[in-house]
Amino acid sequence: MNTFVNFLVVAVLFALVLLPALIGLARERRIDRELRAAEHERRAEPPETAGAAQPVTATRRQYPRVGARV
């Protein structure tokens, strides 16, 4: 019985050590699948006209400096 408990302890510790690596591997594979699908969709779309997309510009808001007289 003592040998079986020792085996279970080693198996549980081994699983705890491998769990983060396996979770990371599964996450990386999911991200790779999503990137491949996005690339496939991008290539399947017809090319857009050159003037259709306009760049988005934002204006900066000027904030007074702390302690500056307004």
Side-chain angles (χ1 to χ4, degrees), residues 2-51:
N2 198 19
T3 305
F4 180 69
V5 172
N6 289 341
F7 175 76
L8 278 179
V9 168
V10 170
V12 168
L13 289 175
F14 188 68
L16 287 175
V17 169
L18 283 181
L19 188 63
L22 294 176
I23 291 172
L25 180 65
R27 183 177 180 211
E28 289 291 326
R29 289 178 58 97
R30 179 184 52 87
I31 291 171
D32 288 342
R33 273 196 314 269
E34 289 176 0
L35 288 174
R36 268 187 261 126
E39 180 69 21
H40 180 67
E41 288 176 13
R42 187 179 69 83
R43 289 185 181 193
E45 292 177 358
E48 297 179 7
T49 59

